[in-house]
């Protein structure tokens, strides 16, 4: 979704990924856990879904103090129940579900087996329109159902709402019939695919164009609009250019930026976004922005710009849950209020429910944003195989110290030991010009051979007992050839290379020397050699 030419939101539906949010299952209670006041329900998906007691009972079941009964009095293992997934699985957590089912249509949401509640979207701000829609919804509400009027219904007539109610009640009857004929676990209602979910929930008169680059999907969307919103057909366009659609509209570049930690603001300030397991931390900095007025004005302008960009980035990245924003400190209460108002205004058009607390004297804002599925980073990126997602690995010197400790406590009493490790670890282990390796070997009761390989995790190493005869060793006068792939990127260190794992220094050459390079060893220890070009 582009707003004013800028990417505001991106949704993905990957073929190999099972979309479960909104689906209704006939599940079997697998386990009841009183300590969590919850149950785990087998719905036939990868992990059992989590069902809290508050989602397992009707609001009327709460006592006058707002307390719910214990989960063990509500559910029992083996019981079959209808549940609807409200949050998709995330990392090690399974999906979350509720027994408070809801069926969204274009204009209304129908809640089967619910109270007699009639609600109207809070985003419809006109009091007269709210009253009109509430009155029509109350007349249309089927017995035993709750009903909520969606934002899309603003301006809709009685017939449009009536058609929605008829469609949703027919849908509920088909779900009931399927549930009666099924054995748990079973999927009894699958929510719409992504494209048609967008037609139902997002495509409205406020959208200028709906551009589709697939003819089959284009025709299906037009057919759907014939029955739900024929007035919007003219806004659907088929993209025919040979240039990829994401490149044409600059979407690919914006997605690439949305995966970065740092986001620059218009006048040189920037924000950093750091997701953690518990929350997302956002920090605001003035960066290169010095302003033209006072420090207070510079800070205020940076914070206001940050508030607007934060709202955009959270929508774009699909970040939800608890969010803590560290704005730059502001001494004046009116400035803090101005930034707080800017933040609330920036989230006004967000389709996800948000709750924003007041800004503190320290410049901190706590807020929550509803999360239903994985965010953009989780969908498009995977954890680094080296750091495991932490962003940091052990320094080569740290791994070298681990190797030294292991060598000293090893059971090798005679013969030799072969150490295989990452090239940077080997360099830290042998020291400048290989002198540390010589010293270490003198301290040990056996010979030491150190060999480098790029085919090992930077934090891992291998120590193998061996003999001098089993390890290839080099002698002064040996001729070797260094290729491009052998060169190590070590700034200000001349030319360092690994030839069949052996570390070689060529002081008279550099990393920019044309390869392949023929060299002759002028010094050759067990683990480190020095050479000159031939």
């Amino acid at each position: 979704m582009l707003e004013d030419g800028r990417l505001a939101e991106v949704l993905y539906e990957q073929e190999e990924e099972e979309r479960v949010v909104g689906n209704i299952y006939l599940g079997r209670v697998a386990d009841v856990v009183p300590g969590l006041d919850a149950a785990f329900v087998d719905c036939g998906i990868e992990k059992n879904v989590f069902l809290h007691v508050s989602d397992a009972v009707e609001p009327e079941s709460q006592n006058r103090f707002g307390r719910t009964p214990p989960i063990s009095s509500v559910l029992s293992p083996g019981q079959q129940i209808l549940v609807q997934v409200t949050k998709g699985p995330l990392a090690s957590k399974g999906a979350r579900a509720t027994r408070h089912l809801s069926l969204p249509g274009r204009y209304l949401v129908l809640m089967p087996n619910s109270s007699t509640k009639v609600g109207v979207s809070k985003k419809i701000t006109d009091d007269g329109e709210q009253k009109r829609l509430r009155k029509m919804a109350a007349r249309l509400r089927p017995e035993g159902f709750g009903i909520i009027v969606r934002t899309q219904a603003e301006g809709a007539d009685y017939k449009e709402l009536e058609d929605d109610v008829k469609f949703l009640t027919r849908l509920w009857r088909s779900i009931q019939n399927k549930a009666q004929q099924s054995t748990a676990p079973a999927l009894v209602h699958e929510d719409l695919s992504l494209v048609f979910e967008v037609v139902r929930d997002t495509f409205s008169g406020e959208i200028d164009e709906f551009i589709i680059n697939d003819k089959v999907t284009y025709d299906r969307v037009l057919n759907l609009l014939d029955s739900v919103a024929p007035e919007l057909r003219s806004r659907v366009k088929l993209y025919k250019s040979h240039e990829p659609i994401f490149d044409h509209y600059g979407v690919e570049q914006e997605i690439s930026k949305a995966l970065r930690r740092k986001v620059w603001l218009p006048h040189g300030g920037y924000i950093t976004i750091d997701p953690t397991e518990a929350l997302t931390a956002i920090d605001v900095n003035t960066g290169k922005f010095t302003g033209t007025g006072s420090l207070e004005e510079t800070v205020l302008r940076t914070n206001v710009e940050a508030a607007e960009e934060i709202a955009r980035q959270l929508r774009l990245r699909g970040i939800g849950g608890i969010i803590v924003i560290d704005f730059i400190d502001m001494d004046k209460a009116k400035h803090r209020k101005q930034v707080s108002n800017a933040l609330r205004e920036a989230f006004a058009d967000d389709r996800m429910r948000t709750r924003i607390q007041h800004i503190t004297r320290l410049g901190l804002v706590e807020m929550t944003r509803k999360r239903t599925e994985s965010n953009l980073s989780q969908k498009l990126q995977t954890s680094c195989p080296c750091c495991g997602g932490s962003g940091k690995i052990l320094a080569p010197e740290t791994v070298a110290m681990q190797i030294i400790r292991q060598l000293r406590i090893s059971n090798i009493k005679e013969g030799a030991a072969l150490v295989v490790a990452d090239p940077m670890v080997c360099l830290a282990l042998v020291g400048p010009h290989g002198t540390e390796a010589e010293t270490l070997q003198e301290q040990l009761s056996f010979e030491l051979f150190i060999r480098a390989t790029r085919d090992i995790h930077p934090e891992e190493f291998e120590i193998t007992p061996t003999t001098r005869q089993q390890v290839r060793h080099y002698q002064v006068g040996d001729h070797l050839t260094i290729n491009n792939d052998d060169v190590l990127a070590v700034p200000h260190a001349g030319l360092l290379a690994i030839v069949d794992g052996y570390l070689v220094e060529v002081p008279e050459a550099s990393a920019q020397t044309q390869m392949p390079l023929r060299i002759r060893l002028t010094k050759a220890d067990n683990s480190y050699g020095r050479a000159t070009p031939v």
Side-chain angles (χ1 to χ4, degrees), residues 502-514:
Y502 188 62
L503 289 166
V504 181
E505 175 188 1
V506 189
E508 299 167 37
S510 71
Q512 285 72 44
T513 302
Q514 188 172 356

Side-chain angles (χ1 to χ4, degrees), residues 199 219-233:
V199 172
D219 290 337
R220 291 176 66 190
V221 167
L222 289 181
N223 290 336
L224 180 62
L225 287 172
D226 279 338
S227 58
V228 298
E231 71 280 4
L232 296 177
R233 277 179 55 97

Side-chain angles (χ1 to χ4, degrees), residues 249-477:
Y249 290 97
V251 174
E252 203 68 59
Q253 185 179 5
E254 287 291 325
I255 291 175
S256 178
K257 289 180 182 178
L259 296 173
R260 299 175 190 168
R261 177 175 178 263
K262 181 184 287 187
V263 181
W264 289 98
L265 301 175
H267 289 88
Y270 67 90
I271 61 175
T272 58
I273 302 174
D274 294 298
T276 70
E277 187 76 19
L279 53 82
T280 298
I282 301 177
D283 189 36
V284 182
N285 297 276
T286 53
K288 297 179 287 187
F289 181 40
T290 55
T292 56
S294 65
L295 174 62
E296 288 180 342
E297 291 300 321
T298 300
V299 168
L300 175 62
R301 185 166 185 176
T302 302
N303 281 340
V304 170
E305 287 183 356
E308 296 167 354
E309 187 62 30
I310 286 167
R312 174 175 174 263
Q313 289 295 326
L314 293 184
R315 282 182 65 194
L316 179 55
R317 299 176 188 229
I319 293 175
I322 300 172
I323 298 148
V324 177
I325 307 168
D326 182 11
F327 286 104
I328 306 168
D329 291 350
M330 295 169 287
D331 292 330
K332 294 184 178 179
K334 68 174 184 178
H335 285 178
R336 294 196 294 272
K337 185 175 182 181
Q338 195 171 335
V339 171
S340 185
N341 290 340
L343 187 65
R344 294 175 193 277
E345 188 176 327
F347 278 102
D349 294 329
D350 193 348
R351 291 187 296 114
M352 293 297 174
R353 185 174 66 250
T354 58
R355 293 176 181 170
I356 302 173
Q357 303 298 316
H358 293 294
I359 191 167
T360 69
R361 285 190 62 85
L362 295 176
L364 295 177
V365 170
E366 297 174 2
M367 64 170 289
T368 60
R369 183 174 185 269
K370 185 180 179 183
R371 179 192 69 80
T372 57
E373 292 184 328
S374 303
N375 61 45
L376 192 65
S377 172
Q378 291 162 338
K379 285 183 178 291
L380 301 185
Q381 295 179 310
T382 187
S383 293
C384 167
C386 286
C387 70
S390 69
K392 295 182 183 295
I393 59 173
L394 294 176
E397 294 77 11
T398 305
V399 181
M401 290 301 299
Q402 291 179 347
I403 293 173
I404 292 171
R405 285 195 290 270
Q406 289 297 315
L407 286 169
R408 286 178 173 158
I409 64 173
S410 68
N411 293 322
I412 302 172
K413 301 301 181 185
E414 55 185 24
L418 174 64
V419 175
V420 178
D422 177 81
M424 293 299 111
V425 173
C426 290
L427 284 175
L429 195 56
V430 301
H433 313 299
T435 54
E436 296 289 341
E438 296 175 28
T439 303
L440 179 60
Q441 185 170 262
E442 291 172 4
Q443 296 171 354
L444 300 170
S445 59
F446 48 83
E447 280 197 279
L448 181 64
F449 294 90
I450 299 170
R451 296 292 182 265
T453 178
R454 290 189 172 95
D455 298 328
I456 196 169
H457 190 287
E459 293 182 333
E460 295 178 355
F461 54 87
E462 298 173 2
I463 299 176
T464 310
T466 186
T467 64
R468 182 175 179 83
Q469 290 73 30
Q470 290 176 313
V471 181
R472 179 182 176 184
H473 48 277
Y474 299 85
Q475 297 179 344
V476 173

Side-chain angles (χ1 to χ4, degrees), residues 92-153:
S92 60
K93 298 178 180 178
R96 181 162 183 160
T98 181
R99 294 179 76 183
H100 307 158
L101 309 183
S102 61
L103 302 175
R106 182 164 179 81
Y107 301 115
L108 304 167
V109 177
L110 205 62
M111 297 175 291
N113 302 330
S114 185
S115 63
T116 57
K117 176 182 177 182
V118 175
V120 179
S121 168
K122 292 179 180 178
K123 291 189 176 181
I124 299 176
T125 55
D126 183 87
D127 289 341
E129 180 67 359
Q130 275 217 6
K131 290 177 181 177
R132 184 184 76 90
L133 291 170
R134 189 182 297 276
K135 186 176 180 180
M136 285 194 295
R139 287 175 57 193
L140 289 167
R141 183 186 66 79
E143 187 66 31
F145 287 79
I147 197 168
I148 295 176
V149 182
R150 307 185 68 186
T151 310
Q152 296 268 44

